[in-house]
Amino acid sequence: MNLLEHEAKSILSQFAIPRPRGEVVRPGDAAPISPIVLKSQVHTGGRGKLGGVRVVPNGDTALIMSELFALMIKDELPRTLLAEELLDIDQEYYLSLMIDRSLGSVEVVAHREGGIEVEAHESSEFFRHELTPTLTSVVGDILADYLDLSEKSFALQDLLTRLYQCFVESDALLLEINPLVLTKSGQLVAGDCKMTLDDDAGFRHPEWQFEAEERDANFITLDPDGTVATIANGAGLAMATVDAIHAAGFTPANFLDVGGGATVEGMVANFEKIGKFPKVTAIVINIFGGIVRCDTVAEAILAAREKVPGLPNLYIRLSGTNSDEAAQLLSVQGMTLYANLDEVLAGVRHG
Ligand code: GDP
Ligand code: MN
């Protein structure tokens, strides 16, 4: 189970691991007062690069709050934001604890240059060391040398001791602090925190009450700058539809298998998701109604046309269960159906 940053940081607080002061903000809450950093609380990393971390030195936090609540980060809209005091950053390091399965122990991984570009480093460049309760002082000392922070040796030893305790008592699989910030006043603070807990240990953690990750395995973003979106049913038909769009020279934006249990509300939510892709100009709907009923899909299309502003053009092929009723519903609204996918794609080409 992956935790949100604010959930992980509240665990850090329980172990007295230094983190910035902060509060969780929900839609409709009063805007916190600047200067602050506002951070989108989603389960995926890399928010900084995608605009999900906004430093607000002064001015309109209410506006930035509403922008962040509307900003989708890798298919996820935040339900909360974390508002934190600004850090006066001198250096950003990478520090994490994870399970080394070959050693059967905990491993510390670190890098001198942390922050949003950490993935650019070769894996051989990272500091790695086994961590046990008796090793925290020694490893803290070597780590201080590696980070060019010899004057912070005691602080790092103390930090590793607390992180190790936090990791083990929390039944964590990963505890990653990136960046570990050295402030201009010389404090080491967890600027960000990502934690993965071992689901199998849930039985001994009644306190684990975290926001569930809404993972929609059936909606996959293929290209955020794609031009043609897809809605299909059945993984095979959905893949074939994506392939056909690509073969016709367009850039598919997404893969979506609405499955057999498509409801009007669920379908409208999918249209809303697609509506957030900035370059999509056409939505190809390719449904073969077996369990899913074509008239349900038609109702969803009509609802989406009302509810989703600026909905791209729709190119629809519906066949199978209740397709005549669907064609009837759509024709009343002046929409026509295509007989097959080739004709759909010809329609997309002619705009
Ligand atoms: P991530 O991109 O999802 O890993 O989000 P982070 O929380 O790690 O933030 C990304 C980057 O934003 C950090 O590496 C910092 O450079 C910057 N940042 C985050 N918090 C602060 C802050 O309080 N002050 C300043 N100046 N920069 C910050
Ligand atoms: Mn980070």
Side-chain angles (χ1 to χ4, degrees):
M1 165 177 35
N2 294 316
L3 302 193
L4 294 170
E5 177 189 10
H6 78 83
E7 294 168 337
K9 280 180 165 169
S10 73
I11 296 181
L12 295 186
S13 299
Q14 291 164 25
F15 291 86
I17 294 161
R19 49 157 296 187
R21 261 175 294 137
E23 55 171 342
V24 173
V25 185
R26 296 188 164 73
D29 283 356
I33 294 162
S34 55
I36 46 167
V37 58
L38 276 172
K39 309 173 90 177
S40 179
Q41 297 298 289
V42 288
H43 290 89
T44 42
R47 296 164 304 172
K49 280 190 178 171
L50 299 168
V53 176
R54 301 278 295 271
V55 174
V56 195
N58 49 49
D60 202 350
T61 50
L63 176 71
I64 291 167
M65 246 176 83
S66 62
E67 284 174 7
L68 283 173
F69 276 122
L71 179 71
M72 176 95 78
I73 300 202
K74 293 186 198 155
D75 298 340
E76 194 177 351
L77 269 183
R79 280 180 272 177
T80 50
L81 306 179
L82 177 60
E84 281 186 341
E85 63 174 326
L86 276 191
L87 293 174
D88 209 3
I89 300 178
D90 183 13
Q91 289 289 328
E92 297 190 18
Y93 306 103
Y94 174 90
L95 181 64
S96 67
L97 268 60
M98 54 185 89
I99 305 252
D100 180 333
R101 290 178 194 277
S102 60
L103 284 176
S105 69
V106 179
E107 185 185 35
V108 188
V109 180
H111 201 286
R112 283 180 204 90
E113 293 163 35
I116 59 175
E117 298 294 346
V118 77
E119 271 137 42
H121 305 308
E122 296 285 336
S123 76
S124 60
E125 285 178 34
F126 284 80
F127 170 96
R128 288 172 187 277
H129 207 291
E130 182 185 6
L131 195 64
T132 65
T134 49
L135 279 177
T136 50
S137 297
V138 179
V139 178
D141 202 40
I142 317 174
L143 180 63
D145 271 348
Y146 165 83
L147 296 176
D148 275 329
L149 283 174
S150 35
E151 72 286 5
K152 291 275 172 270
S153 172
F154 287 125
L156 283 167
Q157 292 176 36
D158 184 54
L159 180 62
L160 286 185
T161 305
R162 290 173 197 278
L163 285 172
Y164 182 83
Q165 194 191 2
C166 174
F167 186 90
V168 171
E169 289 184 18
S170 306
D171 282 305
L173 299 172
L174 172 74
L175 198 184
E176 182 185 79
I177 296 180
N178 183 36
L180 172 66
V181 168
L182 177 67
T183 64
K184 294 206 170 117
S185 57
Q187 307 298 310
L188 285 167
V189 184
D192 186 13
C193 185
K194 205 184 211 176
M195 234 172 142
T196 308
L197 304 179
D198 184 350
D199 292 312
D200 292 334
F203 70 94
R204 57 183 172 210
H205 293 280
E207 78 283 8
W208 282 1
Q209 300 293 332
F210 302 113
E211 190 179 303
E213 191 167 355
E214 258 182 58
R215 227 179 306 171
D216 185 355
N218 300 321
F219 189 113
I220 298 166
T221 297
L222 299 174
D223 187 338
D225 291 325
T227 53
V228 178
T230 58
I231 295 179
N233 71 317
L237 185 60
M239 280 191 275
T241 307
V242 167
D243 284 349
I245 290 169
H246 186 261
F250 305 107
T251 311
N254 74 303
F255 164 97
L256 171 58
D257 166 15
V258 297
T263 61
V264 172
E265 302 79 57
M267 289 282 289
V268 170
N270 285 319
F271 278 106
E272 280 168 347
K273 229 180 209 182
I274 289 171
K276 295 212 160 67
F277 285 72
K279 296 192 180 155
V280 165
T281 55
I283 304 178
V284 167
I285 300 168
N286 191 12
I287 301 286
F288 182 80
I291 301 167
V292 64
R293 290 167 37 182
C294 291
D295 54 333
T296 307
V297 176
E299 280 172 33
I301 291 170
L302 297 177
R305 289 222 305 175
E306 268 184 31
K307 287 187 189 161
V308 186
L311 192 69
N313 290 334
L314 306 178
Y315 300 88
I316 309 163
R317 176 254 179 175
L318 295 175
S319 73
T321 309
N322 290 2
S323 60
D324 292 341
E325 288 83 344
Q328 176 64 26
L329 279 169
L330 293 173
S331 72
V332 173
Q333 300 293 321
M335 303 174 75
T336 50
L337 297 181
Y338 292 88
N340 56 52
L341 192 54
D342 285 340
E343 288 182 27
V344 164
L345 293 170
V348 175
R349 197 170 294 113
H350 294 125

